[in-house]
Amino acid sequence: MDYEYLITKMEKYADQKGVPIMEKDGINFLTEFIKLNNVKKILEIGTAIGYSAINMALVDDGVTVTSIERDKDRYLQAIKNVKEFNLEDRITLLLCDALEVDIDDEFDLIFIDAAKSQYIKFFEKFSKNLAKKGFIVTDNIDFHGLTNSDKSVMSKNLRQLVTKLEKYINFLKDNEEFKTRFFKVGDGIAISVRKKSYNE
Ligand code: SAH
Ligand code: MG
């Protein structure tokens, strides 16, 4: 099957419908990271149409992805896309609010790419599902360059969202348990690991 064609088809669909999938260099960075670190079991918060889940699953036959989406139309589109790639065996899609579901599995990597206003909550809730030496990856840290920029020109809603994202960045920087590196790639990506894992 021609994966390249299907990937491009998803990118076009997202573009036309205004679905905020990962930027190309962002997804390339993430899949390269998954390859280099031999990540196998992934939990994703924010499926949208399955673009990042599919790209991550295509890294290696041993990769499995569990992905959560609360929007029904996007979830249904994601199901369709996963089928087109024949990845139903390795991608599990859940239709629910990530803050209301209980997952008891453990994952090598947790990818946070959902409502930016809830990033701290996602991080706190799902870090219990992270393997000892696992990674928490967060997308849209730069928010098109809006974080740490002049907020006086922004609408109230936007300003509140940017403020929440800045709080998340500080939450990561000041975190006792996790150490985070920030990468200026795509829309800004953060990668967090437990500090303890360095000393073991
Ligand atoms: N990871 C995708 C893009 C996700 S866009 C990709 O790169 O291909 C963010 C998605 O998160 C949206 O579709 C939105 O509906 C979903 N979302 C936001 N908050 C959520 C929540 N609390 N629980 C589940 N899904 C959520
Ligand atoms: Mg994103």
Side-chain angles (χ1 to χ4, degrees), residues 33-82:
F33 183 84
I34 287 168
K35 203 181 294 173
L36 287 173
N37 290 282
N38 204 25
V39 167
K40 297 293 181 219
K41 211 166 154 187
I42 300 170
L43 174 66
E44 174 179 70
I45 320 296
T47 318
I49 60 168
Y51 179 75
S52 50
I54 288 167
N55 274 285
M56 292 190 287
L58 290 176
V59 167
D60 182 281
D61 284 349
V63 173
T64 59
V65 183
T66 300
S67 185
I68 308 173
E69 173 58 53
R70 67 178 173 191
D71 179 281
K72 191 161 183 199
D73 292 339
R74 288 186 179 171
Y75 162 81
L76 291 174
Q77 188 61 37
I79 293 209
K80 247 193 216 170
N81 288 334
V82 167

Side-chain angles (χ1 to χ4, degrees), residues 20-23 111-114 116 119 138-140 187:
I21 60 167
M22 278 198 105
E23 291 177 24
F111 180 43
I112 300 176
D113 192 17
K116 290 179 265 297
Y119 273 6
T138 314
D139 191 33
N140 304 101
D187 194 28

Side-chain angles (χ1 to χ4, degrees), residues 39-160:
V39 167
K40 297 293 181 219
K41 211 166 154 187
I42 300 170
L43 174 66
E44 174 179 70
I45 320 296
T47 318
I49 60 168
Y51 179 75
S52 50
I54 288 167
N55 274 285
M56 292 190 287
L58 290 176
V59 167
D60 182 281
D61 284 349
V63 173
T64 59
V65 183
T66 300
S67 185
I68 308 173
E69 173 58 53
R70 67 178 173 191
D71 179 281
K72 191 161 183 199
D73 292 339
R74 288 186 179 171
Y75 162 81
L76 291 174
Q77 188 61 37
I79 293 209
K80 247 193 216 170
N81 288 334
V82 167
K83 276 202 186 119
E84 280 204 311
F85 283 83
N86 284 313
L87 286 169
E88 301 101 302
D89 292 351
R90 294 198 284 117
I91 300 181
T92 306
L93 299 175
L94 305 175
L95 174 62
C96 54
D97 191 309
L99 294 176
E100 282 165 17
V101 66
D102 233 336
I103 308 261
D104 34 44
D105 251 357
E106 205 171 79
F107 299 87
D108 302 327
L109 185 146
I110 297 176
F111 180 43
I112 300 176
D113 192 17
K116 290 179 265 297
S117 58
Q118 300 174 320
Y119 273 6
I120 293 184
K121 284 187 185 154
F122 295 138
F123 193 102
E124 287 186 325
K125 173 171 178 164
F126 291 104
S127 48
K128 74 163 177 16
N129 297 96
L130 188 70
K132 221 162 59 182
K133 299 192 175 182
F135 307 97
I136 298 184
V137 177
T138 314
D139 191 33
N140 304 101
I141 288 291
D142 293 341
F143 197 15
H144 317 298
L146 290 175
T147 46
N148 298 312
S149 73
D150 178 11
K151 282 193 271 303
S152 66
V153 294
M154 296 177 194
S155 71
K156 190 168 173 229
N157 278 350
L158 185 61
R159 191 162 56 234
Q160 281 174 345

